[in-house]
Amino acid sequence: MSLLALGLNHRTAPVAVRERVAFAPDGLNTALRDLLASGGAHEAAILSTCNRTELYCGLKETDDQRITQWLGDYHQLRATDLQPYLYQHTEQGAVRHILRVAAGLDSMVLGEPQILGQVKTAYQTANSAGTLGTILDRLFQHTFAVAKQVRTDTRIGASPVSVAFAAVGLAKQIFADLPKRTALLIGAGDTTELVVRHLHETGIGRLIVANRTLERAHALAARFAGYAIALEEIPSHLGEADIVIAATSSPNLLLTAAQVGACLKQRRRRPMFMVDLAVPRDIEAAVADLDDVYLYTVDDLKDIIQENLRSRQAAAQQAEEIIAHQVEHFMGWVRVQESAAGISLLRRRAEAMRDEALARALGQLERGKNPAEVLRMLADGLTNKLIHTPCAGLREAAARGDADMLDSIKRLYQLDGKGFDR
């Protein structure tokens, strides 16, 4: 059986193409069974995220075009239209690809951890659908172990490389007791949602979300047990906030130095950490001059992110070395499985020879032949049968001048002369 990884991602296909070949989560079981029913794959799993769609298959034959054809047919696309955006990896290339994906080395954000959870979901879905076989099941288990090793042995995920994560990382450096702190988020867009998610994961004590549209603020705050307010209410709640992170598209300032200064008196000089992720700014630059305020802009975070990205790139080199070793480790296991059928056949043939010779010997004993003579005949007969095939192979290889075959047979039967000289 051949291994195949076939798909497209954020590097090879625009979002307009990616969204057309994405699989809805509630339709994956049906898609997996349909893929196997198409006849091209013996086992299969599908990884489908906003950034990639990938099919991992154990092929009955080496014809991967049937998988491409199925992918196009399933999404009502011509395979020829899909082909320019696709990549495919086979055998150890497929193993290397899934290990790199799970470790975050093939992600839009290098080293991001979410992809491992998505790979685990793909495995669980295929397992539930009954489309995993021995090879893919072992490959996914190996993948999870390698991804864990990469996270443990390198710093691939140690340094934040998104503005949302970097902002929360700075907050954790300034306040060691985040569960006792209150955060005010200004805005309710995608960036703010990421910040809220990260703050929630760190166990922030209280969340306040302020937005021009109160309904959007409510929708975001409710998902994380937060409290929603309108922008006009910010001055009334600013004094409660230890952390303020602003990310709106407003053309005007939302927080002035005068407002923050008045708030500091209310807080009795307790420090505030503020991050302005907006362009143009939401927080007046003069706020940075106030005592007890730590104000960072998006440019400050970009400098941090660039340094962290360099750190991740160095860690990625270490991760690639781990993966190279683990690819060979898995392929060694595959080769053992492929040899199992040959080993089983060899054993069955040997056992058949034994049973035949033993039956003949028992018959001779029943007819009254000398037991010692019967045993000699049994031993001679078994010896001749067992060495016939390798001896014939040695003669044929010698006649052809096939030095490689001669060496292989000698190694297989340990014909180096050691241990048998008398």
Side-chain angles (χ1 to χ4, degrees), residues 12-303:
T12 68
V15 67
V17 174
R18 298 202 305 274
E19 64 188 7
R20 294 189 67 185
V21 295
F23 290 85
D26 57 0
L28 270 176
N29 278 27
T30 302
L32 284 163
R33 295 189 184 107
D34 187 72
L35 174 53
L36 262 59
S38 72
H42 178 69
E43 49 184 308
I46 297 175
L47 173 63
S48 185
T49 74
C50 59
N51 285 331
R52 69 180 64 244
T53 291
E54 294 179 339
L55 312 182
Y56 293 95
C57 303
L59 302 183
K60 295 179 178 179
E61 303 170 357
T62 56
D63 181 13
D64 49 51
Q65 291 305 312
R66 295 180 70 177
I67 307 300
T68 303
Q69 186 66 46
W70 175 86
L71 182 62
D73 290 347
Y74 190 87
H75 292 289
Q76 299 180 345
L77 294 168
R78 290 187 303 180
T80 51
D81 293 337
L82 199 56
Q83 194 72 51
Y85 305 103
L86 294 174
Y87 47 79
Q88 60 183 43
H89 308 281
T90 58
E91 308 304 350
Q92 60 261 45
V95 178
R96 179 176 181 269
H97 182 72
I98 192 172
L99 295 186
R100 295 187 76 252
V101 168
L105 299 182
D106 195 53
S107 296
M108 185 178 292
V109 177
L110 180 65
E112 58 93 6
Q114 287 82 11
I115 186 62
L116 178 57
Q118 292 166 331
V119 174
K120 288 182 177 180
T121 298
Y123 166 76
Q124 291 162 357
T125 302
N127 194 37
S128 173
T131 60
L132 289 179
T134 302
I135 300 295
L136 279 188
D137 186 85
R138 179 64 177 248
L139 175 58
F140 274 93
Q141 296 299 335
H142 187 66
T143 297
F144 304 148
V146 173
K148 181 179 179 181
Q149 181 185 356
V150 168
R151 292 278 162 187
T152 302
D153 294 354
T154 76
R155 294 182 57 80
I156 189 70
S159 306
V161 290
S162 72
V163 290
F165 201 90
V168 176
L170 282 173
K172 289 168 66 177
Q173 291 180 31
I174 293 172
F175 297 114
D177 55 349
L178 283 183
K180 297 179 181 179
R181 301 292 176 172
T182 295
L184 169 63
L185 289 304
I186 304 175
D190 292 341
T191 300
T192 302
E193 181 176 345
L194 284 173
V195 173
V196 172
R197 188 181 302 278
H198 291 317
L199 282 171
H200 183 73
E201 289 171 355
T202 63
I204 189 72
R206 186 166 171 246
L207 281 168
I208 303 172
V209 180
N211 193 55
R212 190 174 307 281
T213 306
L214 190 57
E215 290 76 11
R216 289 195 65 182
H218 273 301
L220 178 57
R223 290 165 54 193
F224 300 95
Y227 177 70
I229 62 174
L231 292 182
E232 300 78 42
E233 299 178 80
I234 289 177
S236 302
H237 293 273
L238 190 58
E240 305 169 30
D242 303 293
I243 300 164
V244 178
I245 301 178
T248 78
S249 57
S250 173
N252 303 312
L253 290 173
L254 298 179
L255 279 179
T256 66
Q259 289 173 315
V260 177
C263 157
L264 288 170
K265 291 179 182 178
Q266 177 188 341
R267 290 176 56 82
R268 298 181 181 178
R269 315 309 298 185
R270 283 182 291 121
M272 294 181 72
F273 169 66
M274 309 182 80
V275 182
D276 191 350
L277 300 179
V279 179
R281 298 183 185 187
D282 284 336
I283 302 173
E284 188 177 8
V287 169
D289 299 327
L290 298 174
D291 291 337
D292 303 309
V293 174
Y294 301 89
L295 175 62
Y296 290 82
T297 68
V298 69
D299 286 343
D300 297 324
L301 294 189
K302 284 181 178 177
D303 291 340

Side-chain angles (χ1 to χ4, degrees), residues 390-410:
C391 286
L394 279 167
R395 284 193 293 270
E396 291 175 9
R400 294 196 307 269
D402 191 341
D404 290 340
M405 180 62 73
L406 282 170
D407 288 342
S408 296
I409 295 174
K410 288 178 180 178

